[in-house]
Amino acid sequence: MKKSHVLLVFTFLLLIPYICSLAIIGIGYNALVLHSAEICRTIIGALVGSIIMFAVKATIQRPVDLLAVQTNDGLLKQLLRFFSIRRRYFLLFANIVLDFILCFASTYLVRSIMTLDQIVGNSIGFVLLIMFVSTCLGAYVEYDNLSIDPQQH
């Protein structure tokens, strides 16, 4: 498979939904938690968010493995390995810590960029729409390789 094709699938099927998941965690945390600006509450929210991100990565394990097998580019393979949870415990722990940091940043950025009316309003709907469209595009582009039975058309 060509590098550009793998990069297109990576972007639409993994990267954009990952960023949208971080935004959903930030929006959901700030919409649900009273006094969300307190550091202790933000740390707990980021911890819960990193556990959610770990669960999200578990659901996309098969497409990640299939894409990693089909690429020869070292940088792209490492980007795909970021989403993999089948790794050594040290790298798995480092991945969870990185997710924690990104979830913390997400809750902080959402709180600083959006007003409370925007957070509680329809912002989550827009993020979910972006995630849905992106996932559909990525799955459509890579349907043959990601299906259980590649011979079906």
Side-chain angles (χ1 to χ4, degrees):
M1 182 185 298
K2 288 195 250 177
K3 179 181 173 182
S4 61
H5 190 75
V6 172
L7 194 58
L8 183 72
V9 172
F10 170 76
T11 301
F12 284 114
L13 195 60
L14 301 171
L15 188 62
I16 292 173
Y18 183 78
I19 293 169
C20 288
S21 296
L22 288 171
I24 289 170
I25 289 169
I27 291 168
Y29 169 78
N30 287 302
L32 296 174
V33 176
L34 227 64
H35 307 292
S36 60
E38 290 180 6
I39 191 74
C40 291
R41 291 181 187 206
T42 304
I43 288 172
I44 291 171
L47 181 64
V48 171
S50 64
I51 292 168
I52 291 170
M53 293 305 289
F54 183 78
V56 167
K57 288 178 183 178
T59 63
I60 62 168
Q61 192 61 52
R62 184 172 186 271
V64 167
D65 291 343
L66 290 173
L67 284 174
V69 166
Q70 296 179 7
T71 186
N72 294 325
D73 185 77
L75 178 64
L76 189 56
K77 194 171 280 245
Q78 290 304 316
L79 283 173
L80 287 168
R81 291 190 73 211
F82 169 75
F83 289 94
S84 177
I85 59 170
R86 295 180 187 165
R87 298 167 62 178
R88 293 182 301 217
Y89 289 118
F90 173 74
L91 294 174
L92 188 62
F93 180 73
N95 198 318
I96 292 172
V97 169
L98 181 62
D99 283 339
F100 172 81
I101 292 168
L102 292 173
C103 288
F104 187 89
S106 174
T107 59
Y108 180 78
L109 286 173
V110 165
R111 185 171 49 246
S112 63
I113 292 174
M114 294 180 168
T115 66
L116 187 58
D117 289 338
Q118 291 172 328
I119 291 171
V120 176
N122 54 6
S123 60
I124 198 120
F126 289 121
V127 173
L128 284 172
L129 178 66
I130 292 168
M131 181 186 283
F132 178 73
V133 168
S134 173
T135 305
C136 287
L137 286 173
Y140 175 75
V141 168
E142 195 56 19
Y143 177 78
D144 289 335
N145 290 329
L146 298 178
S147 66
I148 294 171
D149 182 14
Q151 300 303 322
Q152 79 182 32
H153 292 287

